[in-house]
Each structure stands twice: as C-alpha cells, then as structure tokens.
Amino acid sequence: MSATLEETTLETVQGLVAVCRTGDLEPGWGEAAWLEGTQVAVYRTEDDEFFAASHHCPGSGAKVMARGILGDKSIAGARVPTIACPLHKEVYRLDTGDCLSGAAPALPVHPVRLHQGMLWLEAAQ
Ligand code: FES
C-alpha cells in the first residue's frame, strides 16, 4: 500500500507515525503496539475515545498496560478516562498519566491523532 501525500506529510513534517487502523481496536479494550522499537499500549474506550500510553507499568516495569482495565472516574465534576494495571490495580488517568490510587510514578502517555481511519502517535525524539 502506498502512502498518500497527506500521510507522507504527517510522517515527515509533523513527525507522526501510523500505529494501526482505528477499526482494529475493539471498544473497551487495549492492544500493544510498536512505536519505533518501543512498546506502547493503545486504547479505544466504549465512547470511541482513543488514547495511548507506555505498555510498561510505572510501578514495576512489567509490560502489561495494554491488558489493563479501562474505566473512568469523576474528578471535579468531569469524567476522566482511566486505565488500571492488571497486576496490582494502580489506576492512572489516560489524559495525563497521573496515578489516582497511590504514590506510583505517572504513566507516560502519548498524544493521539486520528486521520483517515488511522491512529497516529508522535515519533520518539
Ligand atoms: S505491576 Fe502495575 S501496579 Fe504493580
């Protein structure tokens, strides 16, 4: 498959990498993916919101975050999407990566762009 001019521009000018088709992600679940040699977790919520984070749990380094449990919490009256680590259940905000359930370090999160049915992430610096 050849890249369109728009896709080529996204890659070369904006430094974005196509990770997967949005339709490949099942609502309410995450999947592990490669981002230039690094494992990332990409998520599609039941509300069709898309997020990306490190696949490594910040607490232990275990490569498990794509198998975490998607949910949400109400914070200051706003609904915030969350991911719970499947091992020890620390809960992280998917928008900022902040840990909501303890003093664990933040989960690194990646800004997501959607374009022509693809999910794009910023290339590693
Ligand atoms: S391994 Fe993720 S919270 Fe312990």
Side-chain angles (χ1 to χ4, degrees):
M1 179 171 85
S2 64
T4 66
L5 178 58
E6 282 184 79
E7 289 170 340
T8 302
T9 302
L10 283 170
E11 288 173 5
T12 59
V13 176
Q14 299 186 21
L16 298 174
V17 175
V19 173
C20 65
R21 288 185 292 265
T22 56
D24 290 341
L25 298 174
E26 194 172 328
W29 292 94
E31 293 290 342
W34 284 105
L35 177 63
E36 297 188 319
T38 300
Q39 292 187 36
V40 294
V42 291
Y43 305 100
R44 179 178 184 175
T45 69
E46 294 283 358
D47 296 333
D48 275 339
E49 294 179 288
F50 294 84
F51 295 92
S54 172
H55 187 40
H56 300 246
C57 177
S60 68
K63 298 170 188 165
V64 295
M65 294 309 293
R67 291 293 169 251
I69 303 155
L70 281 167
D72 58 46
K73 282 192 177 276
S74 178
I75 298 176
R79 183 192 142 278
V80 174
T82 60
I83 186 72
C85 175
L87 293 182
H88 302 117
K89 311 298 188 276
E90 293 285 10
V91 177
Y92 301 90
R93 292 178 68 140
L94 277 173
D95 57 347
T96 65
D98 292 339
C99 182
L100 297 174
S101 57
L107 175 69
V109 293
H110 300 273
V112 169
R113 289 261 312 260
L114 304 178
H115 181 70
Q116 294 189 336
M118 298 290 292
L119 184 148
W120 299 74
L121 299 179
E122 288 181 13
Q125 300 297 314

